[in-house]
Amino acid sequence: MTASTPTAAKLREAAERFPDEVVTQVHVRHLDLPHGGGRFALLTLDNGYDHKKPTTFGPRSLANLSDALDQVEAEAAAGEIVGVGLTGKPYIFAVGADLKGIGTLREREEALVIARGGHDVFRRLAGLPVPSFAYYNGAAMGGGVEVGLHCTYRTVSSGVTAFGLPEVFIGLVPGWGGCTLLPNLIGADRAVGVIVENALNQNRMLKGPQVYELGIADALFEPADFLAQSLVWTSAVLRGEIEVVRQDPDRGEAWDRAVARGRAIADEKVHGAAPAAYRALDIIGQARNGDLRAGFAAEDDVLADLIVSDEQRSALYAFNLVQRRAKRPAGAPDASLARPVNKVGVVGAGLMASQLALLFARRLKVPVVMTDVSEERLAKGVAWVHEQADMLLLKGRLSQDAASRLKASVTGTLDTAAAFGDADFVIEAVFEEMDVKQKVFAEVEAVAPEHALLATNTSSLSVTRMASQLKHPERVVGFHFFNPVAVLPLVEVARAEQTDDAAVATALAVAKKLRKTAVLVKDAPAFVVNRVLTRFMGEVLRAIDEGTDPAVADRALAPLGLPMSPVELLELVGPAVAHHVAGTLHAAFPERFGVSPGLTRLVESGKTSLFLRGEGEPRLDPAVEALFAPEGERGEGLTEEEVRRRALEAIAEEIGLMLREGVVAEAQDIDLCLITGAGWPFHLGGITPYLDRAGISERVTGSRFLPRGVASVP
């Protein structure tokens, strides 16, 4: 009986819970290492698809790896091979666990089988009678990184662009060795950076050279002949020509400081509202003693706990929205209706317009022409784009030729006919006033070709009304970006009453080329993100206006782990913009949306900085507090819990109404908008899974927003 038989049998039994697993095969081939290095076994992970379907580890895949290790272990024991290597198919090493299957698990014991199964298989690489080598030839994430950590040595391609441990980002921990092996390899502080800091910073990935510099890989080779060079290096290591020397990490106070730093990062990012980062740090903390067996056992237990937690299912739901639903917008017309876009016009040269010009030029690689009312404003906008191109060059994100082409492609003119006479796509980003936007569209329609799409970046105004005076309103579409444009992925594509399918298809095709997440929305006041945020912000400001201490109201939403507090969000958006959107929604829905008197006074004061920043934590400016309480007196007010309940019930009510109005196709689209347009955290799943889990949806609307099991444990 082979050593792996019990594990392989359990994994194949568990495979019944993963009916749709894309099974990874493990191909074993033998070769003679260069320069007389000896007979070598090379294992290649391959699921039979190209790089568009990355290799993963479900239970059948793990069992296949276990079977391959049976073979090479026997060969090593018999003296037939001098080493074992592990690599992947072109462009892909392996990207970790099969997340589709993880979402089907209901019981902790089922999750524990998967957790232990990964450990049982991977650690056999460390227990082979001969050295083992991981050759990170392409994308490596999660379990793909971890399987290599179990090997004796590692090489990495300089062409690798996606290497990391993203588990904390999706509500898990690196549970197949990552939390234990990585700090023991590169030290606790660097491990905290990879496992917690990078994961909580929008799942930041490492590139090949960084992997080598951190000490995760022992050698770095160019992609063109990566495997050949890795095998030459392997031969040199086995023949004793190269000695790999690793420093033992600092296991003293530096280890404690690293874990403390990780907790500070987690507090800043999730405010204690999601457990994964803290559980990962617990394991890293205990890994200091180097007891791998105890570390693996801790990983098993934590992974099993988290897999069957609602926070993890919400995070997995959010991950799937961003990875899958975002690529196929609900309600999209036939993509073949989209018209080509070979030139773009931008009306305006302010900061938002300049950001749009840069994005269109960089992603579409077409000429972009800006217009404005004065030569001075126009020159300033074009200069800003050129400065950004130079900055991208300095950062190494553009070559000299690419930067020069980018700058040459963005120009400005006061002549509207010259700017838009041959444009295929014209977007306005001028003052948020209906009369101004109607005038702009009339001027553009007079000179633009009949096929040109006319887009508005309005955040709250009616696209239908904006297009109502045009001869061809069917070609007008809302195309609402979020600030900063380079960071937030969302574009709300708003279909007005007369917008035709070709215009919508073109807008969606352009959004895709811009590498943005497009959500198709109905032309309704403030669309999705601003409507939800204004409703919840309105409840917080109403509480302050009624006498609640602003600091109490501002802390009320902290248990949700939002990226910023309500008053911080108000400062970021700008009081004037928030006031304008509130006014628009008040005009549309006066019974639910008010205009805060305190906010009105704040706008009239001209203050835009709401916090005092110096030593210590930022604190609300007393002058801002006084604007909300002009008499200097404040009533008893509400508690944090009461403000939070009001705000969440208001959000639930508004989402229910938006779904009934058909603003979006489903609740999933509201969650996708909040995640990609407002940075709401994965552990909430956007917002509707949290409202369902807390019972707020049913209390306010009479039903859940999502069926049980969609973003929760089945």
Side-chain angles (χ1 to χ4, degrees), residues 317-335:
Y317 159 82
F319 181 79
N320 287 331
L321 288 181
V322 171
Q323 293 296 313
R324 296 189 177 92
R325 191 176 185 92
K327 295 174 182 176
R328 295 182 292 276
D334 189 335

Side-chain angles (χ1 to χ4, degrees), residues 260-576:
R261 185 177 77 87
R263 294 192 190 284
I265 292 168
D267 288 343
E268 179 187 352
K269 294 293 185 180
V270 300
H271 311 286
Y278 301 97
R279 300 296 296 273
L281 289 164
D282 288 343
I283 302 171
I284 294 171
Q286 81 169 56
R288 172 169 32 190
N289 62 14
D291 186 341
L292 301 187
R293 184 177 294 276
F296 294 165
E299 289 176 351
D300 288 341
D301 286 335
V302 171
L303 198 58
D305 288 343
L306 293 176
I307 284 174
V308 293
S309 69
D310 283 332
E311 289 87 354
Q312 195 281 321
R313 295 309 166 92
S314 292
L316 189 56
Y317 159 82
F319 181 79
N320 287 331
L321 288 181
V322 171
Q323 293 296 313
R324 296 189 177 92
R325 191 176 185 92
K327 295 174 182 176
R328 295 182 292 276
D334 189 335
S336 67
L337 296 173
R339 293 187 285 261
V341 173
N342 297 310
K343 182 181 178 182
V344 171
V346 179
V347 185
L351 180 58
M352 175 58 80
S354 299
Q355 289 182 78
L356 297 182
L358 175 64
L359 178 70
F360 278 91
R362 192 175 177 204
R363 298 295 186 216
L364 299 188
K365 293 180 171 54
V366 299
V368 176
V369 182
M370 304 172 71
T371 65
D372 210 302
V373 295
S374 75
E375 189 69 54
E376 182 183 357
R377 286 175 56 85
L378 191 58
K380 185 177 179 181
V382 173
W384 184 89
V385 175
H386 290 188
E387 287 167 6
Q388 296 303 305
D390 288 335
M391 287 178 64
L392 291 168
L393 173 63
L394 287 173
K395 292 177 181 177
R397 296 171 64 183
L398 285 180
S399 67
Q400 181 65 65
D401 285 347
S404 298
R405 285 195 299 271
L406 179 58
K407 289 194 285 187
S409 68
V410 179
T411 57
T413 178
L414 298 178
D415 186 339
T416 305
F420 307 140
D422 57 348
D424 305 303
F425 187 108
V426 181
I427 184 167
E428 68 78 20
V430 298
F431 295 117
E432 194 75 345
E433 294 179 10
M434 182 59 72
D435 291 346
V436 174
K437 291 181 183 290
Q438 286 181 329
K439 181 182 177 183
V440 162
F441 270 151
E443 292 173 352
V444 172
E445 186 181 49
V447 298
E450 287 192 7
H451 72 271
L453 182 70
L454 308 185
T456 170
N457 186 48
T458 183
S459 60
S460 60
L461 299 178
S462 167
V463 181
T464 298
R465 185 179 163 198
M466 212 178 292
S468 62
Q469 299 175 10
L470 300 180
K471 294 177 183 177
H472 296 287
E474 69 278 359
R475 60 172 169 165
V476 178
V477 66
F479 207 67
H480 179 219
F481 290 85
F482 290 80
N483 200 16
V485 170
V487 175
L488 292 173
L490 179 65
V491 173
E492 292 174 325
V493 176
R495 181 196 279 268
E497 289 179 9
Q498 292 183 274
T499 307
D500 63 20
D501 283 352
V504 174
T506 303
L508 293 175
V510 168
K512 184 175 182 180
K513 289 180 181 177
L514 294 176
R515 304 180 196 172
K516 293 294 183 181
T517 296
V519 175
L520 187 58
V521 303
K522 180 181 177 182
D523 180 25
F527 312 129
V528 174
V529 174
N530 284 336
R531 183 163 166 183
V532 172
L533 294 185
T534 303
R535 183 72 197 277
F536 114 85
M537 177 76 74
E539 291 300 319
V540 174
L541 294 179
R542 181 162 71 94
I544 296 173
D545 285 328
E546 291 174 355
T548 301
D549 184 333
V552 170
D554 199 37
R555 288 195 303 267
L557 279 297
L560 275 71
L562 298 178
M564 59 188 68
S565 72
V567 180
E568 287 173 327
L569 176 62
L570 179 62
E571 183 181 64
L572 177 69
V573 170

Side-chain angles (χ1 to χ4, degrees), residues 134 144 161 354 431 540 644 657 666 674:
T161 58
S354 299
F431 295 117
V540 174
R644 183 164 58 252
L657 291 167
E666 294 179 293
L674 288 172

Side-chain angles (χ1 to χ4, degrees), residues 543 548-549 552-553 556 636-645:
T548 301
D549 184 333
V552 170
E636 183 175 326
L638 303 177
T639 65
E640 290 180 27
E641 292 77 12
E642 289 168 331
V643 175
R644 183 164 58 252
R645 177 179 57 78

Side-chain angles (χ1 to χ4, degrees), residues 104-140:
T104 68
L105 301 177
R106 301 185 182 193
E107 304 294 334
R108 188 180 187 279
E109 284 305 310
E110 295 175 328
L112 198 56
V113 168
I114 299 301
R116 289 174 176 165
H119 273 131
D120 288 348
V121 175
F122 287 1
R123 64 186 172 193
R124 294 185 64 203
L125 285 159
L128 291 172
V130 294
S132 53
F133 297 77
Y135 305 133
Y136 291 124
N137 64 299

